Amino acid sequence: MKKWLIILGIIFVIQIPFNLHYHAYYYATHMKNNKNQYYRFAPLLGNNYLPQNYVPGYKIDHIDLREATNNVVMKTNVLTHKDKIEINSQFANYYPNKYQNNFYVITFLNDGKAEPDKELENLPNNTKQRAYASLNRFNQTLKEHSRRPIINLQWLWNMWYQVSN
């Protein structure tokens, strides 16, 4: 009996890194945030493959790098019939009108904190609110559709994330 407990314990310990990697989007979107301007999924877009079924309605371009996949997520008609959003691991561009080159930029830090750039003068006044609403909608879609792990290690993910920042 002890032998089987030891074997099961070893198997559990070995599968932890795989669990954290393959369910990273689930863990990132289920972290508790003090403020609403943390987008923990953003750093993952630079090195974790994002399956299309996690974000239905969005277009994903996978740029394969040597050992990682850089994901660029795009969607038109997010909040209105004319807007567009592009998200990658470093920034998000929100276009109030998909036919214009004027856009609002939100830069992501390494921990997923959103840092707004200076607003352009020729953008509508509510562009900043719409940009964040678009990001929140993407985050909610990812949270709802990401695959739930069989063994939930959210506590370990949270602990690891706090130590690394």
Side-chain angles (χ1 to χ4, degrees):
M1 182 68 175
K2 284 184 181 180
K3 185 166 90 173
W4 288 110
L5 286 174
I6 291 172
I7 291 172
L8 286 174
I10 291 171
I11 290 172
F12 177 75
V13 169
I14 290 173
Q15 70 88 28
I16 287 175
F18 296 107
N19 182 313
L20 293 175
H21 176 75
Y22 289 113
H23 301 287
Y25 288 107
Y26 176 87
Y27 294 133
T29 56
H30 284 80
M31 285 182 74
K32 301 269 190 263
N33 294 320
N34 295 340
K35 294 185 178 179
N36 210 13
Q37 294 187 343
Y38 273 89
Y39 299 96
R40 304 289 189 179
F41 66 84
L44 297 174
L45 292 173
N47 59 11
N48 278 37
Y49 179 81
L50 178 61
Q52 180 65 52
N53 62 341
Y54 282 17
V55 284
Y58 290 83
K59 181 181 182 277
I60 304 172
D61 284 338
H62 304 285
I63 303 165
D64 290 326
L65 304 172
R66 185 166 215 142
E67 294 182 14
T69 300
N70 189 12
N71 302 287
V72 179
V73 181
M74 294 169 279
K75 183 174 183 177
T76 55
N77 305 330
V78 182
L79 300 174
T80 66
H81 294 296
K82 298 178 183 177
D83 65 347
K84 176 182 173 183
I85 190 162
E86 294 179 350
I87 308 167
N88 67 28
S89 63
Q90 298 165 348
F91 55 86
N93 294 333
Y94 177 75
Y95 300 84
N97 187 339
K98 61 185 172 186
Y99 303 111
Q100 292 180 348
N101 291 331
N102 299 330
F103 55 91
Y104 184 78
V105 178
I106 300 171
T107 306
F108 299 118
L109 301 178
N110 289 340
D111 62 352
K113 184 171 194 268
E115 292 287 325
D117 283 357
K118 294 179 183 176
E119 292 188 40
L120 298 175
E121 296 170 4
N122 53 352
L123 289 174
N125 293 337
N126 62 351
T127 302
K128 180 178 180 179
Q129 290 82 12
R130 286 185 176 181
Y132 280 102
S134 298
L135 274 176
N136 291 336
R137 183 174 285 183
F138 175 78
N139 189 43
Q140 188 62 33
T141 302
L142 185 58
K143 185 175 185 175
E144 291 172 359
H145 292 93
S146 58
R147 192 173 70 178
R148 184 181 180 93
I150 294 171
I151 300 172
N152 194 334
L153 300 175
Q154 185 71 52
W155 62 273
L156 185 60
W157 177 273
N158 294 345
M159 189 171 56
W160 172 68
Y161 210 92
Q162 289 174 351
V163 169
S164 65
N165 288 330

